[in-house]
């Protein structure tokens, strides 16, 4: 999906919500566990109940890997279901990969070709040749970690390098890489006050913003500092939507939570 | 496996060789492709032919993920084979993971519990709370990327932060984290001249050194600057051993390559 198509979906649905599909067997309604494929059953119910209110889904790959072969099967089934039932929805593999060139190429193949994701999150520590194999897929997006939502972001990302903080250096340097027009960046909602600075460097690129919800970020602030005239934001919520309830009507409640966020987003979009 | 047990194996085998199991169907002997599980057949043949000469195996997870569900099955079968046939061998999941706390916990579960690896490589960009969930497994090692073997290492890792290069900051800061005694570090063989500086900060920790072989690093230099009285090195070679030949006697030739490296290592160990 191109950036333009994603933007069109955002304006059409009045939503820039991304729902995180963090499939955790310990948090799902227990009655699902006796099903043949509990993770897929859970995801399907969540997707069916929330798809009207969001433009993207983001399975966090760790949760699937923790389930081994069954987890990979559930991931594949989930992405196939999305492609088949809701092809207008943008998909993000939250994988935070990054390795030397020939290895990053393998990860790109895994997530872009075999699973058919529209995008993947990538860690920048290993530099240009670890990221460019992802950027070679010019019909896909590569979402580089810039300033993450967690406390540990202050360990290295905000260190002052020669002339500016590391996360700024990451953004500026990556803008010079091949096919950098396909870059998006992860910036945590918990760091909303940094968004104004970031927008000076990348006025147009999409940002994937986790941390609204369970981690305490504020949607209004994110929009105030981060929104562009083409929106330029995908705001993710995982636990606060998908685990809002563990009762038999969990999907309905997740849908209501997603709808509430969509309404807030519609209000923000009216300000454009 | 404890650090001490690993060290004992190194002295016993006169080898600190780690063989990288980068299972690439494009590079394997073509006759294997018609087998039911070509990746496992390849790995088994390589392991049987090289195990005498190495102390560790390091499957690079990207190569397995690129094969989807079949890849995960082959990875599981490979690690089970190692545990069963050669329990004295140390195992490294070369995964370069790292995410917010609850997600890193899932990756730790996947690689330490479900697959039973002795260690995993982890990227430091997201800081303390992204790494400590791995360190909580006190009977395992967490191998943090410090200075990697690729060209892109110079994009961010060697940037001067307040007072020193980022990779040094990563090493120093991580030494203050919980259970830091279980940390090892990745330092590329192509950056051997940096090892003397690194040894000033961490005189004892094990280093996982990729980049000897196909990437051009030099074993003698790595040992000169990086070896401690307890060795403290695992030197990895992947392509140069496992893809030395694609003929029907590929395993035998891989064994000979591994033996040649073991002999060089024995010479280096005599200098201790």
């Amino acid at each position: 999906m191109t950036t333009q198509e994603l933007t069109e979906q955002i304006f059409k649905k009045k939503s820039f919500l991304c729902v995180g599909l963090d499939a955790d067997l310990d948090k799902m309604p227990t009655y699902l566990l006796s099903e043949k494929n509990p993770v897929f059953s859970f995801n399907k119910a969540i997707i069916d109940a929330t798809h009207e209110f969001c433009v993207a889904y983001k399975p966090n790959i760790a949760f699937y890997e923790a389930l081994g072969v069954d987890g990979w099967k559930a991931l594949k089934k989930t992405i196939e279901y999305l492609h088949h039932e809701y092809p207008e929805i943008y998909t993000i593999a939250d994988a935070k990969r990054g390795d030397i060139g020939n290895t990053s190429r393998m990860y790109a193949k895994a997530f872009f070709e075999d699973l058919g994701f529209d995008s993947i999150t990538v860690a920048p520590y290993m530099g240009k040749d670890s990221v460019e194999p992802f950027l070679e897929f010019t019909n896909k997006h590569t979402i580089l970690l810039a300033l993450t939502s967690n406390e540990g972001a202050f360990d290295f990302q905000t260190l002052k390098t020669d002339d500016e903080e590391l996360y700024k250096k990451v953004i500026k340097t990556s803008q010079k890489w091949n096919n950098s027009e396909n870059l998006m960046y992860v910036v945590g909602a918990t760091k909303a006050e940094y968004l104004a600075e970031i927008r000076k460097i990348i006025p147009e690129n999409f940002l994937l913003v986790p941390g609204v919800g369970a981690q305490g970020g504020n949607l209004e602030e994110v929009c105030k500092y981060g929104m562009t005239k083409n929106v330029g934001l995908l705001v993710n919520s995982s636990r606060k939507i998908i685990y809002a309830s563990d009762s038999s009507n969990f999907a309905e409640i997740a849908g209501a939570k997603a709808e509430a966020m969509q309404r807030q987003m519609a209000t923000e979009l009216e300000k454009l």
Side-chain angles (χ1 to χ4, degrees), chain A:
Chain A
M1 189 183 290
T2 64
T3 309
Q4 199 189 327
E5 286 163 344
L6 174 60
T7 308
E8 283 164 11
Q9 283 296 314
I10 288 173
F11 282 117
K12 188 176 165 193
K13 286 181 159 176
K14 295 188 174 52
S15 171
F16 42 97
L17 177 61
C18 173
V19 174
L21 298 172
D22 300 0
D24 188 342
L25 294 177
D26 293 340
K27 289 185 182 148
M28 289 177 193
T30 47
Y31 80 87
L32 282 176
L33 303 183
S34 58
E35 296 212 358
K36 196 181 161 206
N37 196 331
V39 170
F40 176 67
S41 298
F42 177 81
N43 284 351
K44 182 179 176 301
I46 292 285
I47 290 166
D48 289 341
T50 58
H51 74 95
E52 291 178 63
F53 311 113
C54 68
V55 292
Y57 288 103
K58 178 177 78 59
N60 189 320
I61 308 306
F63 289 81
Y64 299 85
E65 290 195 348
L67 301 172
V69 170
D70 286 345
W72 271 88
K73 282 185 186 165
L75 178 64
K76 199 169 171 68
K77 231 169 130 78
T78 300
I79 190 89
E80 283 169 356
Y81 184 73
L82 282 169
H83 289 157
H84 191 261
E85 296 294 318
Y86 309 108
E88 74 285 4
I89 297 254
Y90 187 78
T91 53
I92 302 169
D94 196 0
K96 301 191 174 71
R97 300 297 193 258
D99 207 311
I100 63 170
N102 74 322
T103 304
S104 277
R105 202 158 286 121
M106 284 288 161
Y107 280 129
K109 185 178 171 315
F111 291 102
F112 289 157
E113 285 187 357
D114 297 350
L115 291 167
F117 276 96
D118 291 309
S119 62
I120 183 175
T121 57
V122 171
Y125 191 72
M126 293 181 68
K128 174 173 165 156
D129 55 298
S130 72
V131 180
E132 283 189 345
F134 295 100
L135 288 167
E136 278 172 18
F137 289 75
T138 52
N139 59 339
K140 305 284 184 178
H141 289 105
T142 302
I143 310 178
L144 201 61
L145 302 187
L147 188 61
T148 55
S149 60
N150 63 325
E151 184 61 28
F154 297 114
D155 283 334
F156 307 119
Q157 297 167 24
T158 53
L159 278 182
K160 202 71 182 256
T161 62
D162 305 326
D163 46 358
E164 61 201 343
E165 290 93 335
L166 178 61
Y167 76 92
K168 288 188 187 168
K169 202 82 164 185
V170 164
I171 296 173
K172 280 191 188 170
T173 303
S174 64
Q175 282 289 308
K176 295 176 203 152
W177 295 343
N178 285 327
N179 304 318
S180 64
E181 63 277 14
N182 298 312
L183 279 169
M184 297 184 178
Y185 296 89
V186 173
V187 179
T190 51
K191 313 279 191 302
E193 67 278 18
Y194 292 78
L195 281 165
E197 288 289 300
I198 289 171
R199 277 296 178 212
K200 287 183 196 162
I201 312 173
I202 38 167
E204 298 289 347
N205 292 66
F206 257 84
L207 306 179
L208 171 62
V209 184
V212 167
Q215 294 180 63
N218 178 293
L219 181 68
E220 209 174 336
E221 267 193 27
V222 168
C223 294
K224 182 175 168 192
Y225 297 114
M227 196 179 271
T228 70
K229 66 179 195 305
N230 291 315
V231 191
L233 293 174
L234 285 172
V235 170
N236 183 75
S237 181
S238 305
R239 287 169 271 178
K240 209 166 172 182
I241 291 178
I242 69 173
Y243 299 122
S245 162
D246 64 358
S247 64
S248 59
N249 64 342
F250 71 97
E252 196 183 319
I253 293 174
K257 290 279 176 190
E259 188 175 10
M261 281 202 73
Q262 181 273 322
R263 284 196 190 152
Q264 282 183 60
M265 289 177 173
T267 307
E268 293 300 326
L269 288 171
E270 279 168 18
K271 297 178 187 170
L272 276 180

